[in-house]
Amino acid sequence: MTSFGGTASPGMVDWNLAVATATRLVRPGPEVSRDEARSVVAELRRHAKASEEHVRGFTRLGTEETHDTPVLVVDRPGWVRANVAGFREILKPLLDKMQDRRGGNPGSAVLGAVGGKVTGVELGMLLSFLASRVLGQYETFAPATRDLPAGENGGGRLLLVAPNIVHVERELDVQPHDFRLWVCLHEETHRTQFTAVPWLRDHLEGEIQSFLAETDVDPMTVLERVRDAAQSLAGGRPEGEEEDGGRSFVELVQTPAQREILGRLTAVMSLLEGHADFVMDGVGPDVVRSVAEIREKFQQRRAKGASRLDLALRKLLGLDAKLRQYRDGERFVRAVVEQVGMDGFNRVWTSPNTLPTKAEIAKPADWVTRVHRKPEA
């Protein structure tokens, strides 16, 4: 979603090495012929285009002119490159701060060069794991590069990871045409959210930067989280650490201000993910014939994870929290639409003040009362 800066913080992480490591280690996708691969890419592009109209019609958000962000069908290495580019953008201030803090220490240049390569390898291991799992992603803060174009007005691009979509549709044994369209509906909803609500991107970036500005940790504490995750992935955690080793990156939260910001970010992400699930299922019955079967099988897959290792990594990376965001956010959206209709729900996009709080996500009626209450005479 964002990007870690190579030249801005040269000693912290070797990002080129991270990309090279992930590209080397990422598992190959499912076996397909060249003709089948071309067919999958072409169908995903058609579905992405068709999804624009479906999502606009259902959500009543946006117009044809608002969609200035490109849709890119990528393989797993392409997803890795896109995400590293994104991370550099959003985390640059924090990495600069960490670099400055370490810069005055004796031998920091030598240690930085070594540490940057070690962390680059470890991060590459993590990226190689995640690159085989993501079906699609709207990159909110993505900068344009020669190989990876982004939207003209503030960046952004929609990624569809073709080999992962094929892998999951085969694993679930669902109708490929339906599943591909179903995935595109979800990701197109995210694209519509950010293109139809111009202030949303800047608001999120401001919250993230405020959170990072409050961060005052030794660089090694942050890099230790990366190392924990990489060791879990490699099966290298010492015995007896299984219970304590799954520490989440969220544990870097230190201050009351950070906790407040994290609460607001959690609420927004729950809204965005839940809205996408709601739209995907709302549009589905009209255009995806087997949507009920797909949803049931996909929910089972999403909930159980693939293995003990997968569960450990999900906890460490905060992916369990993301699963709760899907569930809680979808319940919020559904309850609000039932009470005040789609146009009433869309008041959520009016300004940052009309976004739900974390407490309101759990109690949708409180949001309705606050946002839809009649002004006192």
Side-chain angles (χ1 to χ4, degrees):
M1 190 175 141
T2 54
S3 75
F4 290 36
T7 56
S9 302
M12 296 306 303
V13 181
D14 186 332
W15 298 108
N16 290 333
L17 184 57
V19 171
T21 300
T23 301
R24 186 176 70 251
L25 295 179
V26 70
R27 291 178 293 176
E31 290 188 11
V32 295
S33 68
R34 182 168 297 183
D35 287 344
E36 185 179 1
R38 288 199 188 102
S39 175
V40 170
V41 170
E43 184 173 24
L44 287 173
R45 286 177 176 153
R46 289 196 303 271
H47 284 333
K49 183 64 178 175
S51 294
E52 293 180 20
E53 185 175 349
H54 294 316
V55 171
R56 281 201 309 269
F58 185 81
T59 64
R60 303 175 194 172
L61 288 175
T63 64
E64 217 168 317
E65 289 71 33
T66 60
H67 287 70
D68 73 324
T69 54
V71 176
L72 307 178
V73 181
V74 298
D75 58 9
R76 290 169 177 176
W79 180 88
V80 169
R81 290 191 296 271
N83 274 263
V84 167
F87 284 138
R88 295 171 65 175
E89 192 75 14
I90 201 70
L91 292 181
K92 179 180 179 296
L94 176 61
L95 293 179
D96 286 346
K97 178 179 178 180
M98 292 167 65
Q99 183 71 16
D100 290 343
R101 177 170 177 173
R102 193 179 64 180
N105 297 332
S108 61
V110 174
L111 290 174
V114 174
K117 290 188 180 300
V118 170
T119 308
V121 169
E122 292 173 336
L123 183 67
M125 293 171 64
L126 281 179
L127 289 170
S128 71
F129 169 80
L130 295 172
S132 64
R133 297 180 57 82
V134 177
L135 301 182
Q137 175 183 0
Y138 183 77
E139 284 198 296
T140 315
F141 307 107
T145 66
R146 184 180 62 184
D147 300 324
L148 294 165
E152 295 179 5
N153 300 320
R157 56 180 165 242
L158 180 60
L159 305 178
L160 297 170
V161 191
N164 295 350
I165 293 172
V166 172
H167 171 77
V168 174
E169 71 191 25
R170 290 179 178 179
E171 179 186 333
L172 298 182
D173 190 24
V174 293
Q175 212 283 331
H177 171 87
D178 286 1
F179 184 73
R180 294 166 194 176
L181 178 54
W182 189 72
V183 170
C184 287
L185 289 169
H186 182 101
E187 302 309 329
E188 176 57 35
T189 302
H190 287 317
R191 183 165 170 244
T192 297
Q193 289 163 348
F194 283 94
T195 54
V197 185
W199 55 264
L200 185 57
R201 177 189 181 277
D202 289 342
H203 172 70
L204 267 182
E205 184 175 18
E207 292 279 53
I208 292 169
Q209 294 304 336
S210 295
F211 181 89
L212 296 178
E214 287 281 331
T215 301
D216 185 23
V217 296
D218 183 85
M220 289 302 103
T221 305
V222 177
L223 301 184
E224 181 185 341
R225 295 299 189 270
V226 177
R227 185 165 291 112
D228 282 346
Q231 287 178 346
S232 289
L233 183 60
R237 185 173 307 288
E239 274 211 49
E241 289 192 14
E242 288 84 349
E243 294 301 318
D244 299 327
R247 294 175 294 175
S248 168
F249 283 102
V250 175
E251 291 180 31
L252 293 175
V253 174
Q254 300 169 306
T255 69
Q258 280 185 314
R259 283 191 286 273
E260 287 185 19
I261 297 168
L262 184 63
R264 294 196 297 268
L265 282 170
T266 299
V268 173
M269 297 312 297
S270 296
L271 170 69
L272 298 180
E273 296 294 356
H275 184 233
D277 267 11
F278 178 77
V279 172
M280 181 170 59
D281 289 343
V283 174
D286 291 332
V287 298
V288 181
R289 287 172 297 179
S290 57
V291 64
E293 177 191 2
I294 291 173
R295 164 56 82 185
E296 181 180 1
K297 290 183 175 180
F298 192 78
Q299 287 286 65
Q300 291 173 356
R301 179 184 186 275
R302 180 189 274 176
K304 70 181 182 181
S307 64
R308 184 180 180 186
L309 171 61
D310 183 53
L311 294 174
L313 277 166
R314 278 185 6 186
K315 178 181 178 183
L316 178 62
L317 299 175
L319 299 183
D320 280 339
K322 188 174 180 65
L323 296 181
R324 289 193 296 273
Q325 287 170 7
Y326 284 112
R327 183 183 66 244
D328 297 344
E330 196 274 342
R331 279 204 295 252
F332 170 84
V333 176
R334 185 174 301 279
V336 171
V337 171
E338 286 176 356
Q339 290 184 61
V340 295
M342 185 63 74
D343 289 335
F345 166 79
N346 280 342
R347 289 182 65 175
V348 78
W349 312 115
T350 304
S351 76
N353 293 330
T354 56
L355 291 172
T357 64
K358 189 176 179 181
E360 288 170 342
I361 288 288
K363 295 183 177 180
D366 290 354
W367 180 87
V368 172
T369 299
R370 176 172 68 86
V371 174
H372 286 267
R373 65 188 172 197
K374 296 179 180 179
E376 295 181 7

